[in-house]
Short mmCIF file of all heavy atoms in Angstrom, two decimals:
data_model
loop_
_atom_site.label_atom_id
_atom_site.label_comp_id
_atom_site.label_asym_id
_atom_site.label_seq_id
_atom_site.Cartn_x
_atom_site.Cartn_y
_atom_site.Cartn_z
N ASP A 338 45.52 92.59 119.63
CA ASP A 338 46.95 92.75 119.90
C ASP A 338 47.81 91.88 118.99
O ASP A 338 48.99 92.15 118.81
CB ASP A 338 47.25 92.38 121.36
CG ASP A 338 46.62 93.40 122.31
OD1 ASP A 338 46.30 94.51 121.85
OD2 ASP A 338 46.44 93.06 123.50
N CYS A 339 47.23 90.85 118.40
CA CYS A 339 48.04 89.95 117.56
C CYS A 339 48.55 90.68 116.31
O CYS A 339 49.48 90.21 115.67
CB CYS A 339 47.30 88.66 117.23
SG CYS A 339 46.05 88.78 115.95
N ARG A 340 47.95 91.82 115.98
CA ARG A 340 48.46 92.57 114.83
C ARG A 340 49.88 93.08 115.09
O ARG A 340 50.73 93.03 114.20
CB ARG A 340 47.54 93.74 114.47
CG ARG A 340 48.18 94.63 113.40
CD ARG A 340 47.27 95.16 112.38
NE ARG A 340 48.02 95.73 111.26
CZ ARG A 340 47.49 96.44 110.30
NH1 ARG A 340 46.20 96.65 110.27
NH2 ARG A 340 48.23 96.91 109.32
N GLN A 341 50.09 93.59 116.31
CA GLN A 341 51.41 94.15 116.62
C GLN A 341 52.50 93.09 116.47
O GLN A 341 53.57 93.34 115.94
CB GLN A 341 51.43 94.71 118.03
CG GLN A 341 50.70 96.03 118.14
CD GLN A 341 50.24 96.33 119.55
OE1 GLN A 341 50.64 95.65 120.50
NE2 GLN A 341 49.39 97.33 119.69
N GLU A 342 52.16 91.91 116.95
CA GLU A 342 53.12 90.80 116.88
C GLU A 342 53.43 90.48 115.41
O GLU A 342 54.59 90.32 115.03
CB GLU A 342 52.46 89.60 117.55
CG GLU A 342 53.41 88.53 117.99
CD GLU A 342 52.62 87.35 118.54
OE1 GLU A 342 51.69 87.57 119.35
OE2 GLU A 342 52.91 86.22 118.11
N TRP A 343 52.37 90.45 114.61
CA TRP A 343 52.53 90.15 113.18
C TRP A 343 53.36 91.24 112.49
O TRP A 343 54.27 90.94 111.71
CB TRP A 343 51.14 90.01 112.54
CG TRP A 343 51.17 89.77 111.07
CD1 TRP A 343 51.40 88.58 110.43
CD2 TRP A 343 50.96 90.75 110.04
NE1 TRP A 343 51.34 88.76 109.07
CE2 TRP A 343 51.08 90.08 108.80
CE3 TRP A 343 50.69 92.11 110.03
CZ2 TRP A 343 50.93 90.73 107.57
CZ3 TRP A 343 50.54 92.76 108.82
CH2 TRP A 343 50.66 92.07 107.61
N GLU A 344 53.04 92.49 112.81
CA GLU A 344 53.79 93.61 112.21
C GLU A 344 55.27 93.50 112.59
O GLU A 344 56.14 93.77 111.78
CB GLU A 344 53.24 94.96 112.69
CG GLU A 344 51.87 95.31 112.14
CD GLU A 344 51.90 95.94 110.75
OE1 GLU A 344 53.01 96.22 110.25
OE2 GLU A 344 50.81 96.10 110.17
N GLY A 345 55.51 93.13 113.84
CA GLY A 345 56.89 92.98 114.32
C GLY A 345 57.67 92.02 113.45
O GLY A 345 58.80 92.30 113.03
N HIS A 346 57.04 90.88 113.13
CA HIS A 346 57.73 89.86 112.32
C HIS A 346 57.99 90.33 110.89
O HIS A 346 58.90 89.82 110.23
CB HIS A 346 56.94 88.55 112.32
CG HIS A 346 57.07 87.81 113.61
ND1 HIS A 346 58.28 87.48 114.14
CD2 HIS A 346 56.15 87.35 114.48
CE1 HIS A 346 58.12 86.85 115.29
NE2 HIS A 346 56.82 86.77 115.52
N LEU A 347 57.18 91.27 110.40
CA LEU A 347 57.40 91.76 109.04
C LEU A 347 58.79 92.39 108.92
O LEU A 347 59.38 92.42 107.84
CB LEU A 347 56.36 92.82 108.66
CG LEU A 347 54.94 92.35 108.35
CD1 LEU A 347 54.11 93.52 107.86
CD2 LEU A 347 54.95 91.24 107.31
N ASN A 348 59.27 92.89 110.04
CA ASN A 348 60.58 93.55 110.00
C ASN A 348 61.74 92.62 110.35
O ASN A 348 62.87 93.06 110.46
CB ASN A 348 60.58 94.75 110.96
CG ASN A 348 59.58 95.80 110.50
OD1 ASN A 348 59.41 96.01 109.31
ND2 ASN A 348 58.89 96.42 111.45
N ASP A 349 61.43 91.35 110.54
CA ASP A 349 62.51 90.39 110.83
C ASP A 349 63.56 90.45 109.72
O ASP A 349 63.22 90.52 108.53
CB ASP A 349 61.96 88.95 110.88
CG ASP A 349 61.20 88.69 112.17
OD1 ASP A 349 61.26 89.55 113.08
OD2 ASP A 349 60.53 87.64 112.26
N LYS A 350 64.80 90.43 110.15
CA LYS A 350 65.87 90.50 109.16
C LYS A 350 66.03 89.13 108.49
O LYS A 350 66.09 88.10 109.15
CB LYS A 350 67.17 90.91 109.86
CG LYS A 350 68.20 91.41 108.90
CD LYS A 350 69.21 92.33 109.58
CE LYS A 350 70.42 92.56 108.69
NZ LYS A 350 70.11 92.88 107.31
N ILE A 351 66.04 89.13 107.18
CA ILE A 351 66.20 87.87 106.44
C ILE A 351 67.49 87.96 105.65
O ILE A 351 67.71 88.92 104.91
CB ILE A 351 65.01 87.65 105.49
CG1 ILE A 351 63.73 87.59 106.30
CG2 ILE A 351 65.18 86.37 104.67
CD1 ILE A 351 62.50 87.82 105.51
N ASP A 352 68.38 86.97 105.85
CA ASP A 352 69.69 87.11 105.22
C ASP A 352 69.85 86.26 103.96
O ASP A 352 70.95 86.05 103.48
CB ASP A 352 70.80 86.82 106.24
CG ASP A 352 70.50 85.59 107.05
OD1 ASP A 352 69.61 84.82 106.61
OD2 ASP A 352 71.12 85.39 108.12
N THR A 353 68.73 85.75 103.42
CA THR A 353 68.85 84.99 102.16
C THR A 353 67.97 85.64 101.09
O THR A 353 67.00 86.31 101.40
CB THR A 353 68.38 83.53 102.33
OG1 THR A 353 67.08 83.56 102.93
CG2 THR A 353 69.32 82.73 103.18
N THR A 354 68.32 85.40 99.84
CA THR A 354 67.48 85.87 98.73
C THR A 354 66.50 84.74 98.35
O THR A 354 66.69 83.59 98.77
CB THR A 354 68.33 86.20 97.49
OG1 THR A 354 68.96 84.97 97.07
CG2 THR A 354 69.39 87.24 97.81
N VAL A 355 65.50 85.09 97.56
CA VAL A 355 64.54 84.07 97.10
C VAL A 355 65.30 82.96 96.36
O VAL A 355 65.03 81.77 96.56
CB VAL A 355 63.48 84.71 96.18
CG1 VAL A 355 62.54 83.65 95.62
CG2 VAL A 355 62.69 85.76 96.94
N ASP A 356 66.26 83.36 95.53
CA ASP A 356 67.04 82.38 94.78
C ASP A 356 67.77 81.41 95.70
O ASP A 356 67.79 80.21 95.46
CB ASP A 356 68.08 83.10 93.90
CG ASP A 356 67.49 83.47 92.56
OD1 ASP A 356 66.42 82.90 92.23
OD2 ASP A 356 68.06 84.33 91.88
N GLN A 357 68.37 82.00 96.75
CA GLN A 357 69.10 81.13 97.68
C GLN A 357 68.16 80.17 98.38
O GLN A 357 68.47 79.00 98.59
CB GLN A 357 69.85 82.00 98.71
CG GLN A 357 71.07 82.67 98.13
CD GLN A 357 71.65 83.73 99.06
OE1 GLN A 357 70.91 84.37 99.82
NE2 GLN A 357 72.95 83.92 99.00
N ARG A 358 66.96 80.67 98.72
CA ARG A 358 66.00 79.79 99.40
C ARG A 358 65.52 78.67 98.47
O ARG A 358 65.37 77.52 98.89
CB ARG A 358 64.79 80.62 99.88
CG ARG A 358 65.05 81.29 101.22
CD ARG A 358 63.97 82.29 101.55
NE ARG A 358 64.48 83.65 101.41
CZ ARG A 358 63.71 84.71 101.20
NH1 ARG A 358 62.41 84.58 101.07
NH2 ARG A 358 64.25 85.90 101.12
N LEU A 359 65.30 79.03 97.22
CA LEU A 359 64.88 78.00 96.25
C LEU A 359 65.97 76.95 96.08
O LEU A 359 65.70 75.75 96.13
CB LEU A 359 64.60 78.66 94.89
CG LEU A 359 63.23 79.30 94.69
CD1 LEU A 359 63.24 80.21 93.47
CD2 LEU A 359 62.14 78.24 94.54
N ALA A 360 67.21 77.44 95.92
CA ALA A 360 68.33 76.51 95.72
C ALA A 360 68.49 75.59 96.93
O ALA A 360 68.65 74.37 96.79
CB ALA A 360 69.61 77.31 95.47
N GLN A 361 68.35 76.19 98.11
CA GLN A 361 68.51 75.42 99.34
C GLN A 361 67.43 74.34 99.43
O GLN A 361 67.70 73.19 99.77
CB GLN A 361 68.39 76.37 100.52
CG GLN A 361 68.90 75.81 101.81
CD GLN A 361 68.60 76.76 102.97
OE1 GLN A 361 67.72 77.62 102.90
NE2 GLN A 361 69.36 76.61 104.03
N PHE A 362 66.21 74.73 99.08
CA PHE A 362 65.10 73.78 99.14
C PHE A 362 65.35 72.59 98.21
O PHE A 362 65.25 71.44 98.60
CB PHE A 362 63.77 74.46 98.77
CG PHE A 362 62.67 73.50 98.47
CD1 PHE A 362 62.05 72.80 99.49
CD2 PHE A 362 62.24 73.26 97.16
CE1 PHE A 362 61.04 71.88 99.22
CE2 PHE A 362 61.25 72.35 96.88
CZ PHE A 362 60.63 71.66 97.92
#
Side-chain angles (χ1 to χ4, degrees):
Chain A
D338 292 342
C339 77
R340 172 141 193 190
Q341 285 157 11
E342 200 184 313
W343 177 80
E344 290 277 353
H346 285 306
L347 286 186
N348 296 323
D349 285 350
K350 198 156 167 47
I351 300 161
D352 45 16
T353 51
T354 63
V355 176
D356 273 343
Q357 285 169 329
R358 276 169 253 157
L359 278 165
Q361 196 186 21
F362 165 74

